[in-house]
Amino acid sequence: MAPPQNSEEHPEPARVADPSPLIWLGGGLPPRFRWVSPSLVQALGHPLEAWRTRGFVSQLVHPEELGGLLEAWGAVARTGEPRTLELRALSAEGRPVRLAVELSAVEPSPDGTGELIGTVRVLSPPHPPEGVEHTAPSIDEMLQEITRTQRMHEELIDAIDGIVWETDANFRFTFVSKQAERILGYPIHQWLEDPGFWLKHLHPEDRDWASAYCMKSAKECMAHEFEYRMVAANGTSVWLRDIVTVVSENGVPRQLRGIMVDVTAQRRAREDLEQTVSLLRATLDSTADGIIVLTQDWRVTAVNGRFQKLWSIPDAMLEGRDGRVLSEYMRAQMENAEQVHPRTQQLLASPEQEGVDVLELRDGRFIERYSRPQRLGDTVVGRVWTYRDVTVERRAQAESERLLREAREAIRVRDDFLSIASHELKTPLTPLKLHLQVLKHRMDSGQPVPAQHVDKALTQVARLSGLINDLLDTSRIQAGRLELRNEPVSLGALTHEVLADLRAVSPHRSLEYEEPAEPLLIQGDHGRLAQVLVNLLENALKYSPTGGTIRVRVERDGAQALVSVSDSGIGIPADQKALLFERFFRARNAPISGFGGLGLGLYICRDIVERHGGRIWVESEVGHGSTFHFTLPVLEDEAAATPPETALHPR
Ligand code: ADP
């Protein structure tokens, strides 16, 4: 491409043509001159500084023609299509001067701010100022001026960081600026001599589409811009951004002009950036943690799918990218929002700070939140929030803590039991040994043996065997081997028997019995049910150290027989009632020193009652006595009773 020149193709003899090329370069909106050839400065007389000032165009051009110039300027800057127009300008002395101006784009831009070259011809010169003689320049002067201006023009084009070019309509280069050698490494003459130079040196992957695209745009006389690769002389690929204008005549493309700018570095940077972004995206999406990144003014800059899933965030809400809205939505799901909120505020107030918190959700989940600042260089530009579901770990931790507590409790109970059991088993042995020694002494000395010593020894033996039986029953229950008989049992008769036996051993205690209004038959193990009643009565006696009446009531309650044993003894602390029927449990107001016992009786009672299909519970108030109740299903029809050999509710 030849640099735009003052065209003298159609000289009009009627007009006075200035032989030296008058050129300016300018651009922007509103247009402004950036460079003006000395010849033009001289022709119109305005000082160079005036040309450079903003708004000089409107001072220079006659107001009636200003509109036309600005319109043409904008169109050429946008489309790259050159235009020529005539207009009146004002010389420095204020005389109107007719000018012909050819506008061409150096670099068209869609917004009309691109750089233009204006080539000016003076059609009617200003009258020389009064008293100054106008002498026409000599041929030599004119030639010098032309050469000088042309050189400047070439320097200007070569200084442009890109290949300025011009081709004919067949893409054969007619001009290429010197930068071509630097950028692609081929000597300029190759560009100009080889008619297929451009096509040949297009990168094979871009050749087809780039040439087709350029050809189509040229055919349609459309200015265009595109990026493609050319293969440089050293074999490397060079990315070029080519900005092309089409010079046409009557809709037929004649020439193409443009600038190829080397954008390899930008392309590489862009590719690197895309690679980094895609890597980050993939990392973000494949992590098991929910991640969201917020700017300091709460805009969402990144978020992953896991975050959305963890908090069940609707797509529409996420699209809003408003961190405050999301935060509200998340807060509503939290159980401990009130505790977490101040922590969040604290983190937001100190951008440098990192923090870990555990969020408890209303649906039972635990989420660990980790937060750290997002930095750009040294500046904190936002905050990264990471969320991890730690429900399973939390539950496992709670479970292992519970097991540890239970194990410790079990060890404590075992140790207590060993000390209680040894104490309890040893207690009857001392009196038993004493009674036996008395008996032996008497027998050795031929004295009569008093029956009370034998009875007392037998009482201690009974106590020992009771303790041992309780231990054996407990281990049978534990092993699921406590066997129960299964036969019709009259509850009234059973109670009578038990009370009669008890009265015989505790004649001084007051025992009252309230019988049922009707005979009550139940199905079960007579001996074991008697054991339950004996245990409750013995406890009632034992835990009423100051005496008081023990009341037994048997009644019918719907389909159940209800047995109640009341005393007016020490009672049971409210918080201990639930544990009373557990193995080895003894209420804290029943110290071993005051009341013997292994804490097994009620445990055995509960097992027996429940295996009969009943229930056992206690009502009590400390210091005011206790009432133990148990129920058993009434046998309505004796004939329907299960044969005795069938075991009851085996566990
Ligand atoms: P123990 O052999 O210790 O009496 P039990 O299993 O029969 O074992 O009773 C468990 C605990 O329940 C007792 O240690 C005592 O603390 C409490 N208890 C049982 N019956 C009564 C009652 N009638 N009055 C007050 N406390 C009772």
Side-chain angles (χ1 to χ4, degrees):
M1 166 185 147
Q5 287 183 10
N6 191 3
S7 166
E8 290 295 332
E9 275 173 56
H10 307 290
E12 287 174 40
R15 292 175 180 171
V16 181
D18 187 331
S20 47
L22 314 176
I23 301 167
W24 51 258
L25 267 173
L29 267 178
R32 187 174 178 178
F33 298 107
R34 208 160 57 73
W35 178 84
V36 186
S37 72
S39 50
L40 183 54
V41 173
Q42 200 187 10
L44 293 176
H46 299 282
L48 188 57
E49 308 78 65
W51 284 85
R52 294 239 174 91
T53 54
R54 193 183 291 276
F56 180 66
V57 180
S58 47
Q59 288 171 32
L60 182 71
V61 179
H62 193 280
E64 280 173 18
E65 294 179 286
L66 185 62
L69 172 70
L70 294 180
E71 185 275 321
W73 190 311
V76 175
R78 271 193 309 279
T79 64
E81 293 253 16
R83 284 234 208 140
T84 304
L85 69 162
E86 288 189 12
L87 48 82
R88 276 171 292 163
L90 287 176
S91 71
E93 298 84 37
R95 285 191 203 90
V97 187
R98 283 206 68 73
L99 302 174
V101 182
E102 186 193 323
L103 300 172
S104 330
V106 176
E107 197 183 320
S109 68
D111 60 359
T113 57
E115 194 92 324
L116 294 195
I117 295 180
T119 316
V120 179
R121 279 183 301 134
V122 179
L123 302 177
S124 64
H127 296 292
E130 217 48 47
V132 177
E133 205 184 319
H134 180 73
T135 48
S138 71
I139 298 287
D140 268 2
E141 278 171 344
M142 285 194 289
L143 280 175
Q144 265 176 22
E145 178 64 18
I146 291 172
T147 319
R148 209 170 61 83
T149 311
Q150 194 161 352
R151 204 178 52 240
M152 281 177 69
H153 203 166
E154 278 170 6
E155 277 172 13
L156 188 72
I157 283 195
D158 289 337
I160 292 174
D161 188 13
I163 305 169
V164 179
W165 57 265
E166 187 180 69
T167 68
D168 62 16
N170 297 319
F171 300 149
R172 181 186 180 139
F173 288 100
T174 51
F175 173 81
V176 183
S177 67
K178 283 202 186 113
Q179 295 284 357
E181 269 187 26
R182 183 183 61 81
I183 293 174
L184 285 171
Y186 303 104
I188 302 290
H189 69 87
Q190 265 189 33
W191 289 69
L192 301 175
E193 286 162 12
D194 184 348
F197 182 87
W198 184 63
L199 216 56
K200 226 180 264 175
H201 294 91
L202 274 176
H203 190 282
E205 282 176 24
D206 295 340
R207 188 173 293 142
D208 291 346
W209 75 263
S211 60
Y213 172 72
C214 194
M215 236 178 265
K216 181 171 174 289
S217 308
K219 217 168 130 197
E220 292 167 2
C221 300
M222 292 260 297
H224 54 282
E225 227 180 283
F226 60 139
E227 274 181 25
Y228 55 85
R229 281 163 293 177
M230 280 184 84
V231 181
N234 63 6
T236 56
S237 299
V238 178
W239 274 100
L240 295 172
R241 176 160 192 76
D242 207 347
I243 305 151
V244 186
T245 60
V246 182
V247 184
S248 60
E249 253 172 45
N250 303 324
V252 180
R254 294 288 177 216
Q255 282 183 322
L256 280 82
R257 287 177 189 157
I259 299 183
M260 297 171 182
V261 182
D262 182 353
V263 291
T264 313
Q266 289 96 309
R267 279 301 283 227
R268 293 234 168 91
R270 198 157 77 203
E271 278 164 15
D272 284 356
L273 194 68
E274 278 165 9
Q275 168 75 14
T276 312
V277 168
S278 102
L279 194 75
L280 275 178
R281 192 74 256 169
T283 314
L284 211 60
D285 283 339
S286 65
T287 170
D289 296 348
I291 299 175
I292 186 164
V293 186
L294 297 177
T295 59
Q296 286 184 308
D297 59 355
W298 290 82
R299 297 300 304 161
V300 177
T301 45
V303 62
N304 68 354
R306 181 75 190 129
F307 172 83
Q308 188 179 6
K309 210 162 159 213
L310 210 58
W311 292 97
S312 312
I313 297 188
D315 288 346
M317 184 181 287
L318 209 57
E319 275 159 23
R321 304 237 142 210
D322 186 338
R324 285 204 169 81
V325 173
L326 292 173
S327 158
E328 271 310 305
Y329 186 74
M330 289 154 72
R331 256 167 70 92
Q333 296 181 47
M334 283 181 217
E335 186 67 53
N336 64 342
E338 293 316 311
Q339 291 158 26
V340 174
H341 186 62
R343 284 279 305 148
T344 311
Q345 294 303 317
Q346 191 189 336
L347 286 169
L348 291 172
S350 7
E352 296 284 343
Q353 207 180 318
E354 298 186 7
V356 188
D357 298 285
V358 174
L359 319 179
E360 286 176 44
L361 268 56
R362 293 192 198 285
D363 63 8
R365 282 180 300 156
F366 289 91
I367 291 191
E368 194 175 86
R369 180 183 76 177
Y370 179 60
S371 166
R372 57 172 304 164
Q374 182 206 357
R375 290 196 174 82
L376 201 62
D378 288 339
T379 320
V380 174
V381 292
R383 191 165 267 283
V384 184
W385 301 89
T386 310
Y387 298 87
R388 174 173 298 180
D389 189 338
V390 291
T391 314
V392 174
E393 290 94 316
R394 269 290 176 128
R395 293 217 175 116
Q397 191 188 345
E399 178 65 8
S400 68
E401 280 168 7
R402 190 184 63 77
L403 289 174
L404 187 66
R405 259 198 322 274
E406 280 183 11
R408 287 206 179 113
E409 179 61 15
I411 291 170
R412 191 189 62 75
V413 167
R414 186 202 61 191
D415 293 348
D416 284 0
F417 168 73
L418 282 177
S419 92
I420 292 171
S422 25
H423 177 266
E424 282 298 289
L425 290 170
K426 194 166 179 295
T427 308
L429 282 181
T430 313
L432 179 62
K433 193 175 165 195
L434 267 175
H435 291 303
L436 289 175
Q437 277 171 346
V438 170
L439 288 174
K440 183 172 184 306
H441 176 73
R442 291 240 172 198
M443 279 164 68
D444 287 349
S445 57
Q447 293 178 49
V449 176
Q452 83 223 45
H453 281 291
V454 178
D455 290 343
K456 283 182 178 161
L458 283 174
T459 306
Q460 298 307 331
V461 170
R463 189 171 165 192
L464 265 178
S465 79
L467 288 170
I468 290 165
N469 280 338
D470 277 358
L471 284 170
L472 282 173
D473 283 349
T474 301
S475 77
R476 283 192 195 108
I477 291 171
Q478 286 294 107
R481 286 203 315 266
L482 183 75
E483 283 177 13
L484 295 181
R485 294 170 62 81
N486 192 11
E487 59 209 355
V489 178
S490 161
L491 216 49
L494 180 143
T495 312
H496 266 297
E497 278 168 35
V498 168
L499 285 174
D501 289 351
L502 205 63
R503 280 194 181 105
V505 288
S506 306
H508 310 300
R509 298 298 299 258
S510 155
L511 290 169
E512 280 181 9
Y513 176 38
E514 199 177 315
E515 287 186 68
E518 53 181 306
L520 289 177
L521 262 191
I522 56 126
Q523 179 83 16
D525 187 318
H526 183 281
R528 289 296 182 186
L529 289 172
Q531 183 182 346
V532 171
L533 198 55
V534 167
N535 206 309
L536 295 182
L537 282 163
E538 281 181 346
N539 276 353
L541 291 169
K542 184 160 71 173
Y543 296 109
S544 315
T546 53
T549 303
I550 311 295
R551 291 191 174 81
V552 182
R553 188 155 87 185
V554 179
E555 61 193 310
R556 185 175 180 132
D557 182 13
Q560 305 287 319
L562 173 64
V563 182
S564 312
V565 179
S566 310
D567 64 61
S568 50
I570 61 170
I572 296 153
D575 62 313
Q576 308 237 287
K577 280 194 228 167
L579 300 164
L580 227 51
F581 299 92
E582 296 300 325
R583 211 160 38 126
F584 306 129
F585 186 82
R586 310 196 73 242
R588 65 172 162 272
N589 63 340
I592 185 71
S593 51
F595 311 90
L598 290 174
L600 291 175
L602 290 180
Y603 169 73
I604 298 168
C605 288
R606 185 184 65 177
D607 188 76
I608 295 172
V609 169
E610 288 181 355
R611 283 182 58 197
H612 277 82
R615 206 163 67 77
I616 185 165
W617 71 98
V618 65
E619 287 166 0
S620 178
E621 205 180 321
V622 173
H624 291 94
S626 314
T627 302
F628 282 81
H629 305 274
F630 68 92
T631 60
L632 294 166
V634 174
L635 188 62
E636 302 292 353
D637 177 6
E638 198 178 343
T642 319
E645 61 272 14
T646 315
L648 273 176
H649 304 282
R651 290 212 160 171

